[in-house]
Amino acid sequence: MSVPKVTRKRSLIDLFQRTNSPERPVTSPSSPPTSTIDQLLHDAGSFGLYQKVQFLLVGLLAVVPAATAFSYVFIAATPDHRCQIDWPNFTDTFARQSDYHQSYINRYIPSSPKYKKCFIRDINSTNKKLIACKKWVFDDTFYNTTISTEWDLVCNRLHLKAITQNAYIMGTSGSFVTGIMSDKLGRRTTMYSLILLLVVVLNATQLVMHSKMSVNTKLIIFTISRFLTGFAQTTYSITLVLLLEMTSANRRVLASNILSYFYTSGELLIMLIYYFTRDWSITMWILTIYVMPFLCYYWCVPESARWLVSTGKLLQARKVLQRIAYFNRRTLENSEKKLYDDLQREARNRPKRYSYTYVLISLIKSPAMRQRCLIIFYIMMTNLMLYLGIGMGITSLTNDRPYEIFLLSIFAELFGLCLCHFCATKYDRKVPLILFFTLCSVSILTIPLTHKKYLTISLSAALCAKLFISAAQALSWVYTSETFPTVIRSTGVGLTVSIARVGGVWAPQISLLAQSVWFPLPYIIFSVCSAIAAICAIFLPETRMKIALPETVRQAEEVHQHAPTYEQQSSEVEEEKFRKSKKLSVCPEVDEEEEEESTALENITHTEDVHPSEQLNK
């Protein structure tokens, strides 16, 4: 007896809905079968209590890179200043003490804005010529002590302040080294090594800063410390990979966004610390104390089960998977077979790892990939340069309300991240990316044009620039991840991170041109670079609506220009399956037929998620 036609249709619809559920691991037609480690992670709970606790722990650690990077905004701030006057019987201050004090200021300090901060009149000479200052007094309205006020990093020593931040950015370029360490030694071991390095460096630096060493010696040690601190902050990318490897594909975007939000909260934390202390040394001590509890993370954060399997450490991988299942209150299905047979078989057939040399040769030999990578490298360098240049220089646009302005810039960045998430989910990649760079270029150019007469408009333009460059940076990392083929994707992204630091190194030096050469100059440079990035993005391929990511360099060259989208192909396969089902006579063993259809449909309904690796440039 045959089953009614309506029931047959209903069973197909139910099967399709069940296979399309996010709780079920599925694969695309062109992708390989789900691996054993994927099945085990799904059975153990791909996003249960265990993963949520790990997200929180790693998120607290993600606060540190932002706090150390943006501490430069406050601990190296340069308040308004002028030359110190040798005033008899009194100590000169920046604030006016009396009319008699004001008369001395008028007598010694030139009225020209170009000279009054760095030169003083020599009243002993006949023509009262200007001579360079030896000591300065600073406005303490918003900043009590900074390295600029304590070590006189102004005028002819202004470039030394930028070198300290350059050292930090150069340290972060060591991400390719820590990436190799992560593949060789493990995610947790590398993460803990970097935490240990950070704790030692911060504590040793604070002890040296309170010693009786000379100012120049302290400056050298502080610069070296910033380099080592920057190197230690590459733990951000390691922890991101760790989170991505302990959860399912449909949670990877969430994992990256959570770290981005924690990173932004680090900017807020360092602002609040300095706001209440107004002392750069105390601020760094509080940051040092905040890092200390992370020394226990070796026992709190597990090793990646995927990495353990890929390196043949199956016993440790089984313990991690069983721990995940225990905390998530799940049971591993067919655990004996999967843990002891399937894992061992797949470990013997694990794919080959590709070196940086292989990546470079592959990219150089392919004309299409060579052009595409050069564009991406430039875009990523521009992203980091504008992000640091605008984000760290926004408080210098005015001498008033630096904390309020910085707080608004944090909200602008958060809005930019949300805007990127929305556009990456709903729309194509290329058009929003071009639009973000174009709007950022216009916003940056508006800053110097309106700064003198319309300061509010200038500040609003700076906030808009921070918003658009934050969105462009996050979207660029999505683009980068989707452009590289699978065989060199991880290494290619790591190489892009390192090259992007070149733009970051130039950001502090370019920003200082506003004080040392001409105020509009850095904004003109930033605006032109952003406009060029928008033009370059036109020549990038669209990567969103493709059925799968490219697996090889050849597939990446073709860019699936004529391939059907996932929705089109999945619809065609579903219709074909339904047509075939109508021709079949249905026997009483309907369950067996439904099981076969379920297996086929599982191979249809899957869209590969790719995480936005933007959190790898902080």
Side-chain angles (χ1 to χ4, degrees):
M1 181 177 180
S2 62
V3 178
K5 187 175 182 180
V6 175
T7 306
R8 179 68 173 176
K9 290 182 179 180
R10 185 181 301 277
S11 66
L12 285 171
I13 295 174
D14 292 340
L15 283 170
F16 184 79
Q17 290 177 343
R18 289 202 301 270
T19 56
N20 202 30
S21 173
E23 298 296 326
R24 189 165 182 173
V26 289
T27 56
S28 65
S30 61
S31 64
T34 305
S35 63
T36 302
I37 185 63
D38 287 323
Q39 296 174 9
L40 286 169
L41 282 172
H42 170 73
D43 294 340
S46 59
F47 196 70
L49 176 63
Y50 189 84
Q51 282 84 0
K52 293 174 183 177
V53 170
Q54 296 302 323
F55 273 45
L56 175 61
L57 293 175
V58 175
L60 294 175
L61 180 60
V63 170
V64 180
T68 53
F70 281 88
S71 63
Y72 175 83
V73 176
F74 300 102
I75 69 172
T78 305
D80 196 8
H81 56 278
R82 60 169 173 80
C83 293
Q84 184 176 351
I85 303 173
D86 187 12
W87 195 22
N89 303 323
F90 291 95
T91 301
D92 188 19
T93 60
F94 185 85
R96 176 179 176 272
Q97 300 180 23
S98 63
D99 293 339
Y100 184 63
H101 183 209
Q102 184 64 46
S103 66
Y104 261 82
I105 295 175
N106 296 336
R107 183 180 179 185
Y108 283 92
I109 305 301
S111 58
S112 172
K114 184 178 180 180
Y115 300 108
K116 69 178 183 179
K117 292 185 177 182
C118 300
F119 295 92
I120 190 172
R121 290 193 180 98
D122 183 7
I123 61 173
N124 295 323
S125 63
T126 55
N127 57 354
K128 296 182 180 181
K129 66 177 182 179
L130 298 179
I131 59 176
C133 300
K134 296 182 179 179
K135 293 183 179 180
W136 289 262
V137 290
F138 297 87
D139 183 6
D140 61 357
T141 305
F142 301 106
Y143 307 97
N144 287 350
T145 63
T146 67
I147 63 171
S148 297
T149 62
E150 200 165 295
W151 299 339
D152 292 334
L153 302 183
V154 293
C155 297
N156 60 338
R157 290 169 59 87
L158 185 64
H159 65 284
L160 298 177
K161 185 183 78 169
I163 290 177
T164 61
Q165 185 66 358
N166 286 343
Y168 176 86
I169 299 171
M170 291 175 65
T172 59
S173 64
S175 57
F176 74 96
V177 176
T178 55
I180 295 174
M181 290 174 57
S182 176
D183 287 336
K184 298 292 184 182
L185 305 177
R187 318 305 191 208
R188 183 180 63 169
T189 303
T190 305
M191 177 195 72
Y192 191 77
S193 300
L194 295 174
I195 292 174
L196 187 62
L197 173 64
L198 182 62
V199 170
V200 172
V201 169
L202 289 179
N203 280 277
T205 303
Q206 287 304 100
L207 294 176
V208 170
M209 293 301 108
H210 287 79
S211 67
K212 295 182 179 180
M213 292 183 179
S214 64
V215 169
N216 290 334
T217 303
K218 288 183 178 180
L219 179 60
I220 293 173
I221 294 176
F222 182 80
T223 304
I224 296 174
S225 170
R226 291 290 288 176
F227 174 82
L228 295 176
T229 302
F231 182 80
Q233 297 315 317
T234 56
T235 183
Y236 183 93
S237 59
I238 306 301
T239 53
L240 175 60
V241 172
L242 184 61
L243 289 185
L244 296 176
E245 290 181 344
M246 71 170 58
T247 187
S248 58
N250 61 336
R251 299 288 185 175
R252 290 175 182 171
V253 174
L254 176 62
S256 181
N257 285 344
I258 285 177
L259 285 190
S260 297
Y261 297 139
F262 271 104
Y263 182 91
T264 307
S265 66
E267 301 176 35
L268 178 61
L269 175 65
I270 198 66
M271 185 206 73
L272 292 175
I273 292 175
Y274 190 86
Y275 177 79
F276 288 107
T277 62
R278 304 294 177 98
D279 187 291
W280 79 273
S281 182
I282 297 177
T283 299
M284 294 307 297
W285 267 122
I286 295 175
L287 184 59
T288 303
I289 294 172
Y290 177 82
V291 175
M292 296 291 288
F294 296 122
L295 289 173
C296 68
Y297 267 35
Y298 190 83
W299 297 273
C300 297
V301 179
E303 182 57 85
S304 167
R306 292 179 185 273
W307 180 83
L308 291 171
V309 171
S310 68
T311 54
K313 300 179 180 180
L314 302 183
L315 180 60
Q316 296 94 315
R318 294 164 191 160
K319 291 181 179 179
V320 172
L321 291 168
Q322 289 169 348
R323 190 186 311 167
I324 295 174
Y326 174 78
F327 275 92
N328 291 341
R329 299 180 180 180
R330 301 285 290 271
T331 302
L332 297 178
E333 299 179 4
N334 301 324
S335 59
E336 293 295 325
K337 178 179 182 298
K338 291 179 180 178
L339 288 173
Y340 295 97
D341 295 337
D342 297 345
L343 274 184
Q344 190 168 357
R345 183 183 66 254
E346 292 184 4
R348 290 195 299 264
N349 301 324
R350 60 181 180 270
K352 178 182 176 182
R353 295 180 181 274
Y354 293 92
S355 63
Y356 276 89
T357 304
Y358 178 86
V359 173
L360 291 174
I361 293 175
S362 300
L363 298 181
I364 292 173
K365 285 184 176 180
S366 169
M369 287 301 297
R370 184 169 61 243
Q371 175 186 346
R372 202 171 303 161
C373 289
L374 288 175
I375 294 176
I376 290 177
F377 291 160
Y378 174 79
I379 286 177
M380 296 308 297
M381 286 191 295
T382 302
N383 270 324
L384 189 58
M385 180 176 65
L386 298 184
Y387 178 79
L388 295 177
I390 299 300
M392 295 185 177
I394 193 170
T395 56
S396 63
L397 291 175
T398 176
N399 293 326
D400 298 328
R401 300 173 297 169
Y403 304 103
E404 291 86 344
I405 294 173
F406 190 80
L407 182 62
L408 290 175
S409 73
I410 294 175
F411 288 124
E413 181 173 350
L414 285 173
F415 188 82
L417 293 174
C418 295
L419 182 62
C420 168
H421 193 185
F422 175 78
C423 292
T425 304
K426 299 294 183 180
Y427 304 104
D428 292 343
R429 310 285 193 242
K430 185 160 68 172
V431 174
L433 185 63
I434 296 172
L435 188 62
F436 290 154
F437 275 121
T438 303
L439 293 175
C440 181
S441 177
V442 174
S443 300
I444 294 174
L445 195 59
T446 306
I447 297 173
L449 295 177
T450 59
H451 184 259
K452 288 186 177 180
K453 294 184 178 180
Y454 308 100
L455 182 59
T456 303
I457 297 178
S458 180
L459 291 172
S460 300
L463 293 174
C464 290
K466 178 72 180 292
L467 185 156
F468 291 127
I469 196 57
S470 298
Q473 187 178 43
L475 189 57
S476 296
W477 280 118
V478 179
Y479 224 126
T480 303
S481 300
E482 294 175 336
T483 297
F484 284 105
T486 299
V487 292
I488 58 174
R489 180 171 297 121
S490 179
T491 309
V493 170
L495 180 64
T496 305
V497 172
S498 300
I499 294 177
R501 304 301 176 187
V502 177
V505 169
W506 283 103
Q509 298 290 353
I510 295 175
S511 297
L512 289 178
L513 295 177
Q515 302 178 41
S516 60
V517 181
W518 184 41
F519 178 79
L521 183 56
Y523 300 101
I524 294 175
I525 295 174
F526 291 151
S527 180
V528 171
C529 290
S530 183
I532 294 175
I535 295 174
C536 291
I538 298 175
F539 300 96
L540 287 174
E542 181 55 61
T543 61
R544 175 177 178 260
M545 296 299 293
K546 305 304 175 186
I547 192 166
L549 293 178
E551 295 292 330
T552 64
V553 173
R554 177 171 296 181
Q555 290 180 8
E557 289 175 341
E558 296 172 355
V559 203
H560 305 286
Q561 291 180 352
H562 304 292
T565 63
Y566 168 73
E567 288 82 356
Q568 293 172 344
Q569 185 163 349
S570 62
S571 176
E572 292 173 0
V573 176
E574 180 186 356
E575 292 176 1
E576 180 66 23
K577 292 292 300 180
F578 185 76
R579 284 197 299 269
K580 289 182 179 180
S581 66
K582 293 177 66 176
K583 298 179 181 179
L584 297 175
S585 59
V586 183
C587 61
E589 291 80 4
V590 180
D591 291 340
E592 294 180 3
E593 291 182 290
E594 290 185 347
E595 182 177 356
E596 293 176 359
E597 292 169 348
S598 176
T599 303
L601 286 171
E602 284 180 356
N603 295 327
I604 300 174
T605 57
H606 175 67
T607 302
E608 185 174 0
D609 292 321
V610 180
H611 65 87
S613 307
E614 69 278 11
Q615 299 329 335
L616 298 176
N617 76 17
K618 301 187 178 178

